[in-house]
Every structure is written in structure tokens, then in C-alpha cells.
Amino acid sequence: MWPVQSWPDSRELWLRAEELGFAHAWVYDHTAWRGHMPWYDAYSTLAAVAAVTSRIRIGTLVTSPNFRHPVPTAMAAKAIDDISGGRLQLGIGAGGRNRTSDGGILGGPDWSPRQRADRFAEWVALLDRLLVGPETTFEGTYYSAQDVMTAPGCVQRPRVPFAIAGNGPRGMWLAARYGDLWVTESGGTGDPVKGIRERIARLAEACAQEGRDPAEQRRLLLTGFTDERWADSAEAFRDLAGRYAEAGITDLVVHWPRPDTPWAADMKVIEEIAAESPA
């Protein structure tokens, strides 16, 4: 779902997504994104969505350390989980390069890939502690928290589910240790399905190192960033969904249609896709 419309219009789209029967709906969490304007805050949007929907699971795809500190992020997540009656899924990732993303807007330094990975690892560990609660004091290299009270905690126990994005060794380790879902995009160059299959194999290795059964974890593919034509027809979607399911993907995310963008699509096709999707 795109946070680019005022709430009266956006509200109807979220309600329509729930009415169509989708299992979950997500929103990008940025200060701005690729020139798309206006751009509304993800957590404020999700709080409003939580209040007007009743079944569909909702979440960020994804929140990152580029402009969010773990303490206010935990407080917002706990509130939305409460408002929604336990339907929040928190998508989190390391974020992009600061000069081209949210950190650049805030005037922050351009972190190296290793710095972003280090920050993200600490950020996830602290967010986990904060949401499990009931009280957290933490002194890290990048983040700190002093006597933060989060009691009575989340509606979902022990905390809201984490959907962790990461294709490298550090990201997969974090997904294996903390993630209820693992999030990925396309399989890279060449055969994208083969690429996803190889990533899932590496994720299974990370889970084994953590003493975790990979079958316990859902695997979510964010579509729309390859030449694959997911929304051309229900038949095209069915074919691609089957291929990725065989590779090990359990959940798919498609973009809500936006005219005159790479994510334009016939709404009738989206409705047919929803009719075939298990809620």
C-alpha cells in the first residue's frame, strides 16, 4: 500500500484490501521515496489502519535504522499492536545508502555497508529487548536505552513478529535468530527463481546454526522489481506464485496498482489474485 494519499482516500483502499481477503497489507517506511509525493508517515498511517480494520494483518516493509531509533519505534509498535488487537507485523531492514535514502534527508553520514550491518544488528537486538520488556537498560556502540518501561508489553507474545529483510550473511543470521518471517526481493540476475532457491538454502544454514527449524519461519517475497509480469493476469500470477512456492516462498506481496508508474495494473486482476489467495 502506498502512503501517498490523504487519509480519507487511503482509508478506502486499506478497507478494500481487507474486503478482498488479502492476508496482510504493508506500507513502506521512509521519510520520502524516489520522488513520490506527498509521502505520509508509516506508523501514523498504520495506527489509523489498525483502528478501522478488523482482520487483515498490517506492517511496515521495512523500517530501518536510517532514521528510526529503537526506543520510539518500540513504543509506536506496541501502541499499534494494541490498537489492532494483535495484528501488527514489523518489517525491518538495514536500509539503503544514506545519501540516497532517509539518512541523507536528515543530513547523516554515509555509512559503509559494514557500518549499516553493525548498526542494524544492534538495533534489532535492542528492539527485541524493548518489545519483550518489561524494563530495558542498554548501552551499545550506536544505541542506548535507560530504564525504558514497556509493560504490559505487546498483545502478541512475547512480542510483535519481526519480518527481517536480509540477503547477506549478517542479515540472514539476524533473520534466523529474531525473525518470524524472512523478507527478500528478486533473485538477482539470471534466473530469479533459482536465485531465491539459493538464498533460502543459505537461510536454512543460518537457522541450523541457531538451532532453529527452518520450517518454523515464513519466507516473504516482495514482487515488482524484476521484469516478471505478476499482475498482467491471474494466470501469470498463478504461474509465478507456483514457481516461487516450489522454491520455498510462503508469502507474496504485490503492489497496489498505481497508474502511470511501473506498478500500474488492472484492478480486476488484483481482485482475481485476491480471490485465489488464502487469507
Side-chain angles (χ1 to χ4, degrees), residues 3-41:
V4 295
Q5 294 173 292
S6 63
W7 177 241
D9 293 329
S10 183
R11 175 182 184 274
E12 298 308 311
L13 298 184
W14 285 88
L15 288 173
R16 181 62 177 148
E18 179 171 64
E19 178 187 3
L20 287 173
F22 284 108
H24 38 70
W26 308 79
V27 62
Y28 287 118
D29 184 26
H30 296 292
T31 50
W33 191 65
R34 299 185 183 185
H36 294 265
M37 292 298 288
W39 192 268
Y40 293 97
D41 176 70

Side-chain angles (χ1 to χ4, degrees), residues 175-176 179-180 203-219:
D180 300 272
L203 179 66
E205 292 175 2
C207 286
Q209 292 172 5
E210 287 295 310
R212 181 175 183 185
D213 182 356
E216 297 175 353
Q217 190 176 58
R218 289 156 53 202
R219 296 166 294 277

Side-chain angles (χ1 to χ4, degrees), residues 110-161:
D110 190 12
W111 301 330
S112 69
R114 178 164 185 171
Q115 286 175 318
R116 287 202 309 276
D118 289 344
R119 283 178 174 271
F120 185 49
E122 187 173 296
W123 192 93
V124 173
L126 177 51
L127 185 66
D128 174 68
R129 289 179 57 173
L130 288 161
L131 288 172
V132 172
E135 181 178 351
T136 302
T137 294
F138 179 92
E139 283 293 343
T141 303
Y142 306 103
Y143 303 100
S144 63
Q146 299 295 324
D147 302 320
V148 180
M149 298 297 299
T150 52
C154 301
V155 174
Q156 301 175 86
R157 298 292 184 173
R159 56 157 168 77
V160 300

Side-chain angles (χ1 to χ4, degrees), residues 82-99:
D82 177 56
I83 296 167
S84 69
R87 291 182 287 120
L88 178 67
Q89 302 177 131
L90 200 58
I92 50 182
R97 294 181 64 86
N98 280 4
R99 288 179 183 173

Side-chain angles (χ1 to χ4, degrees), residues 196-275:
I196 291 296
R197 187 178 291 109
E198 292 171 350
R199 289 180 189 174
I200 290 175
R202 295 198 300 271
L203 179 66
E205 292 175 2
C207 286
Q209 292 172 5
E210 287 295 310
R212 181 175 183 185
D213 182 356
E216 297 175 353
Q217 190 176 58
R218 289 156 53 202
R219 296 166 294 277
L220 183 152
L221 176 68
L222 174 61
T223 70
F225 295 97
T226 66
D227 293 333
E228 297 164 308
R229 308 299 297 176
W230 286 88
D232 276 4
S233 67
E235 291 74 19
F237 178 87
R238 193 181 302 119
D239 175 64
L240 285 164
R243 287 193 236 164
Y244 280 100
E246 290 178 359
I249 291 295
T250 63
D251 293 71
L252 294 167
V253 172
V254 296
H255 289 80
W256 195 263
R258 290 191 64 198
D260 304 318
T261 75
W263 300 277
D266 186 339
M267 192 61 208
K268 291 182 179 179
V269 174
I270 300 299
E271 292 171 353
E272 291 178 14
I273 289 171

